[in-house]
């Protein structure tokens, strides 16, 4: 495997790891809020969260590109704060991936939180547990497996991302050139042997991850898109 | 003695309105009694803070406002213990884990130890069991233990025996009684079962369609003809008695009430102990003259104080025994034949007696 390919693999894992971490931190409160509320606002938020499931990645990538471009408000602010350009950077990939993989983390968590009976939380409240304590001592342990599922799906989906990345990240080695983009390069330049190496690698990785996940529990199948 | 001052208004489904304005002295067990749909659980949930009463409602525990115009204390700050009808044990914790849940979070006065609670409720053999392997009665006992270990200032029990029957119901009732007595935590006990209430309660709050219809001590209320407890088949009076001794040869024990002897099946206990005797109205019959050569052991001279005859073929008679009262359910025909009227001195024959709770402090 060439150093360029190793770079791409490392970059992919770093992107998926960072994205998953952020998604768990953001997705947990969001999923909790969605699981305990009903009405127009939560329905709208839920629809927005689910959008990446049906929108072509290029649509999402196009708007993200406009949003993160150097002449946009966000792009300018980023430039002032960090001195670097936001578009076509690793950070832009993280932002894009977080949005793109959001439903894969929020939906399993929301489904799991909905299954936690409110009656148990009431019982915990009468025993002296405030809400955060109720969440930590009742909800987290009851939903442990769903957190694993959410993290794995978020990670795997970020590894498999292509369209959004190409739109907002381009193809800069060591910065935005992840495995899926590198594979695309090889195919464009007719280097099929190298393309096979990466493609088979991705297939085996995804298969192994999903196999390990589904082996534990039949219920998780329902939560994938 | 602590007191719970209630001024609660709470709306439910279908225009149901609960309106309670009472000061409850918190000593021993106060039963909240009424038919289903009378608002018992709603009241308990308002007291616990699990349901918000309408603005303007006030709940004070002694001087601590639990709810008033300025405050709405959340359940976890009220220092309560709540035993739900469906136990609500935490499925990811074993029995010991459930017991420790309350223990780790209590912030009030020092409560009982795990060992004490296990002893009262017979939980030692269950400590390392998973909750889904427990029977319904065992689950309720664990739930009771968990609530007590949170060191509550007030215990709220919402029909904890409703899902039990037969032996497990009796065992669970005994365990609850023992734990409430031993822990000395005042309790509000919601129930629609007259027998359960008369076994456990010291005081009684009777609800009907969201309104309080009667409130007072159980001994005073249970023999009142107009009391909701007296309406059904289960009508029974309660006599406060002292254990006088045992007759080992015949397997009986002697209780004394108002200077008269009453014989019941042999029961454990030392002479001098205070006991409660529940005497169902349907087990009491009346004679004009003292019956002789009868198989019935318990015959008391009584005075008729009140007779209720409705449209039903039967009458309910209230009888004074010294300072206390008995109820007798007889046919209207008998009442007419005997020409019973208030003031008459007659003899009450008691067919059988079910022995009830022991009272530590005869309030």
């Amino acid at each position: 495997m060439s150093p360029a390919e190793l770079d791409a693999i490392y970059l992919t894992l770093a992107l998926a790891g960072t994205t998953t971490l952020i998604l768990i931190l953001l997705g947990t409160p969001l999923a909790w809020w969605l699981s305990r509320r009903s009405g127009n606002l939560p329905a709208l938020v839920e629809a927005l969260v689910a959008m990446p499931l049906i929108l072509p990645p290029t649509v999402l990538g196009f708007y993200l590109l406009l949003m993160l471009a150097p002449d946009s408000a966000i792009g300018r602010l980023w430039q002032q704060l960090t001195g670097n350009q936001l578009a076509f950077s690793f950070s832009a990939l993280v932002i894009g991936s977080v949005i793109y993989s959001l439903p894969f983390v929020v939906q399993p968590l929301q489904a799991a939180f909905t299954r936690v009976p409110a009656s148990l939380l009431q019982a915990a409240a009468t025993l002296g547990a405030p809400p955060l304590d109720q969440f930590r001592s009742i909800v987290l342990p009851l939903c442990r497996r769903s957190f694993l599922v959410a993290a794995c799906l978020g990670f795997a989906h970020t590894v498999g991302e292509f369209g959004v990345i190409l739109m907002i990240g381009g193809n800069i080695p060591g910065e935005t050139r992840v495995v899926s983009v590198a594979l695309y390069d090889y195919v464009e330049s007719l280097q099929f042997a190298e393309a096979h190496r990466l493609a088979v690698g991705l297939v085996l990785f995804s298969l192994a991850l999903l196999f390990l996940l589904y082996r534990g529990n039949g219920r998780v199948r329902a939560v994938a898109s | 003695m602590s007191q719970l001052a209630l001024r609660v208004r709470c709306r439910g489904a279908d225009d149901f309105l609960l309106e309670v304005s009472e000061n409850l002295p918190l000593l021993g067990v106060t039963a909240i009694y009424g038919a289903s749909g009378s608002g018992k659980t709603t009241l308990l949930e308002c007291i616990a803070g699990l349901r918000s009463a309408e603005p303007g409602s006030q709940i004070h525990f002694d001087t601590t406002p639990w709810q008033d115009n300025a405050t709405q204390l959340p359940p976890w700050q009220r220092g309560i213990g709540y035993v739900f009808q469906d136990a609500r044990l935490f499925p990811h914790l074993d029995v010991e884990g459930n017991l420790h849940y309350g223990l780790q979070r209590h912030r009030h006065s020092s409560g009982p130890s795990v060992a004490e609670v296990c002893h009262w409720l017979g939980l030692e053999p269950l400590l390392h069991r998973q909750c889904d392997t427990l029977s319904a009665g065992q689950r309720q006992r664990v739930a009771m233990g968990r609530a007590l270990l949170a060191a509550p200032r007030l215990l709220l029990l919402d029909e904890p025996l409703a899902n039990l029957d037969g032996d497990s119901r009796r065992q669970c009732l005994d365990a609850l009684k023992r734990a409430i007595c031993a822990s000395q935590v005042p309790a509000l006990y919601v129930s629609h079962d007259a027998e359960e209430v008369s076994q456990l309660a010291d005081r009684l709050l009777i609800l009907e369609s969201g309104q309080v219809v009667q409130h007072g001590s159980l001994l005073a209320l249970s023999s009142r003809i107009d009391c909701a407890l007296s309406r059904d088949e289960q009508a029974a009076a309660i006599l406060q008695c002292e254990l006088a001794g045992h007759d080992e040869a015949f397997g009986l024990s002697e209780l004394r009430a108002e200077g008269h002897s009453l014989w019941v099946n042999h029961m454990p206990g030392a002479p001098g102990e205070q006991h409660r005797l529940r005497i169902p109205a349907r087990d009491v019959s009346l004679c004009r003259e003292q019956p002789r050569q009868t198989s019935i052991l318990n015959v008391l001279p009584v005075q008729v104080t009140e007779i209720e005859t409705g449209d039903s073929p039967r009458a309910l008679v209230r009888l004074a025994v010294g300072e206390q009262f008995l109820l007798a359910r007889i046919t209207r025909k008998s009442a007419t034949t005997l020409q019973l009227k208030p003031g008459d001195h007659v003899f009450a024959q008691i067919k059988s007696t079910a022995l009830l709770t022991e009272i530590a402090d005869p309030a």
Side-chain angles (χ1 to χ4, degrees):
Chain A
M1 213 168 272
S2 70
E5 281 168 23
L6 287 175
D7 263 3
I9 290 172
Y10 168 76
L11 193 65
T12 306
L13 295 179
L15 175 65
T18 314
T19 303
T20 306
L21 190 69
I22 294 175
L23 276 175
I24 291 289
L25 292 178
L26 285 181
T28 303
L30 179 59
W32 180 253
W33 182 76
L34 287 174
S35 74
R36 300 286 133 173
R37 295 281 190 285
S38 58
N40 284 331
L41 183 63
L44 180 66
V45 173
E46 206 173 342
L48 283 173
V49 169
M51 286 284 268
L53 293 175
I54 47 166
L55 270 187
T58 42
V59 173
L60 200 64
F62 174 58
Y63 284 115
L64 277 171
L65 184 62
L66 294 185
M67 220 170 72
L68 306 180
D71 55 352
S72 72
I74 295 175
R76 267 203 309 276
L77 187 69
W78 184 270
Q79 190 107 30
Q80 276 169 11
L81 288 176
T82 66
N84 298 316
Q85 182 185 304
L86 182 54
F88 304 109
S89 71
F90 182 75
S91 305
L93 291 195
V94 171
I95 294 173
S97 304
V98 164
I99 294 171
Y100 190 49
S101 296
L102 193 58
F104 289 83
V105 171
V106 169
Q107 288 187 351
L109 289 183
Q110 186 187 341
F113 292 162
T114 309
R115 284 195 302 267
V116 174
S119 62
L120 289 185
L121 301 181
Q122 283 191 339
T126 64
L127 290 165
L132 211 59
D133 185 8
Q134 292 167 29
F135 188 82
R136 192 194 56 74
S137 61
I138 309 292
V139 179
L140 280 189
L142 285 177
C143 300
R144 217 168 32 199
R145 201 181 148 74
S146 296
F147 273 94
L148 186 69
V149 170
C152 286
L153 289 179
F155 191 92
H157 190 248
T158 307
V159 168
E161 200 180 317
F162 173 69
V164 177
I165 292 197
L166 204 62
M167 296 289 278
I168 60 174
N171 189 1
I172 306 165
E175 178 75 26
T176 63
R177 191 165 185 259
V178 295
V179 173
S180 58
V181 174
L183 170 64
Y184 178 71
D185 269 358
Y186 283 139
V187 175
E188 284 243 286
S189 53
L190 302 176
Q191 292 173 274
F192 281 6
E194 289 79 359
H196 267 308
R197 227 170 25 222
L198 290 181
V200 167
L202 278 179
V203 166
L204 289 181
F205 166 77
S206 307
L207 185 65
L209 189 65
L210 292 177
F211 172 72
L212 287 176
L213 201 56
Y214 288 161
R215 197 178 56 172
N217 189 341
R219 273 183 314 174
V220 300
R221 247 161 268 160
V223 299
S225 66
Chain B
M1 180 177 65
S2 17
Q3 175 181 279
L4 190 68
L6 296 174
R7 272 175 57 201
V8 172
R9 261 173 77 94
C10 185
R11 239 166 245 290
D14 300 330
D15 285 341
F16 175 81
L17 178 65
L18 173 80
E19 250 184 318
V20 173
S21 280
E22 292 287 332
N23 290 334
L24 302 183
L26 294 176
L27 182 72
V29 180
T30 303
I32 301 176
Y33 175 81
S36 16
S38 57
K40 308 182 297 287
T41 299
T42 307
L43 178 61
L44 210 62
E45 287 177 347
C46 287
I47 294 171
L50 294 174
R51 179 193 287 267
S52 37
E54 279 187 13
S57 296
Q58 303 207 345
I59 301 173
H60 286 84
F61 182 87
D62 287 336
T63 53
T64 316
W66 281 1
Q67 178 173 1
D68 61 18
N69 298 330
T71 352
Q72 162 84 303
L73 214 58
W76 54 90
Q77 288 175 0
R78 294 193 181 193
I80 50 167
Y82 202 115
V83 181
F84 298 89
Q85 196 174 330
D86 52 350
R88 304 196 185 176
L89 301 182
F90 301 130
H92 59 293
L93 300 173
D94 63 2
V95 169
E96 195 175 21
N98 270 278
L99 293 177
H100 277 105
Y101 195 92
L103 187 69
Q104 286 157 359
R105 285 166 178 80
H106 75 74
R107 56 184 80 207
H108 297 286
S109 57
S110 58
S113 68
V114 176
E116 281 175 303
V117 166
C118 286
H119 175 67
W120 299 334
L121 294 162
L123 298 179
E124 291 100 344
L126 306 178
L127 276 180
H128 300 292
R129 294 265 295 273
Q130 287 303 311
C131 294
D132 54 6
T133 67
L134 301 179
S135 72
Q138 291 169 332
R139 296 173 72 83
Q140 287 308 90
R141 271 154 49 205
V142 174
M144 176 71 175
R146 185 178 67 173
L148 280 174
L149 282 168
R153 295 181 293 182
L154 173 63
L155 203 51
L156 305 168
L157 301 107
D158 186 8
E159 308 211 33
L161 307 178
N163 297 328
L164 311 178
D165 41 39
D167 280 347
S168 79
R169 187 187 181 93
R170 257 190 307 281
Q171 281 166 12
C172 200
L173 182 65
D174 285 344
L176 291 190
K177 220 154 59 179
R178 205 163 42 237
I180 291 174
C181 266
S183 67
Q184 299 193 312
V185 180
L188 298 184
Y189 188 99
V190 160
S191 176
H192 66 267
D193 184 297
E195 201 175 324
E196 203 174 293
V197 163
S198 54
Q199 292 202 40
L200 264 178
D202 302 302
R203 299 183 63 82
L204 202 53
L205 181 83
I206 300 179
L207 282 180
E208 226 176 76
S209 327
Q211 308 279 326
V212 175
V213 288
Q214 264 153 346
H215 174 211
S217 93
L218 175 74
L219 291 178
L221 279 181
S222 61
S223 70
R224 272 175 52 178
I225 274 178
D226 61 347
C227 174
L229 275 179
S230 320
R231 290 211 189 119
D232 55 15
E233 268 305 299
Q234 297 188 57
I238 289 166
L239 279 189
Q240 182 83 37
C241 309
E242 190 182 293
L243 183 57
H246 304 288
D247 185 337
E248 304 290 346
F250 288 107
L252 296 173
S253 296
E254 185 186 7
L255 294 166
R256 296 194 60 85
E258 306 290 328
H260 302 289
S261 284
L262 286 158
W263 293 93
V264 297
N265 287 338
H266 186 273
M267 46 170 283
E273 277 180 6
Q274 292 290 316
H275 285 269
R276 246 186 233 184
L277 205 55
R278 178 170 194 268
I279 303 175
R282 59 168 186 266
D283 290 346
V284 178
S285 56
L286 300 177
C287 308
R288 271 285 177 199
E289 280 158 26
Q290 176 141 29
R292 299 183 196 286
Q293 297 187 331
T294 164
S295 68
I296 290 176
L297 278 176
N298 296 316
V299 179
L300 298 178
V302 296
Q303 187 176 20
V304 176
T305 63
E306 238 179 302
I307 304 170
E308 188 202 56
T309 47
D311 295 331
S312 85
R314 290 186 299 166
L316 191 62
V317 187
R318 189 182 197 222
L319 310 156
V321 194
E323 301 282 297
Q324 302 192 53
F325 294 92
L326 281 179
L327 289 175
R329 171 96 67 200
I330 58 175
T331 60
R332 201 141 49 87
K333 184 174 162 68
S334 310
T336 311
T337 314
L338 290 173
Q339 294 181 306
L340 284 184
K341 54 187 187 303
D344 286 358
H345 289 273
V346 294
F347 292 88
Q349 298 193 101
I350 304 164
K351 247 195 295 194
S352 67
T353 46
L355 186 69
L356 286 185
T357 192
E358 187 178 316
I359 315 164
D361 174 16

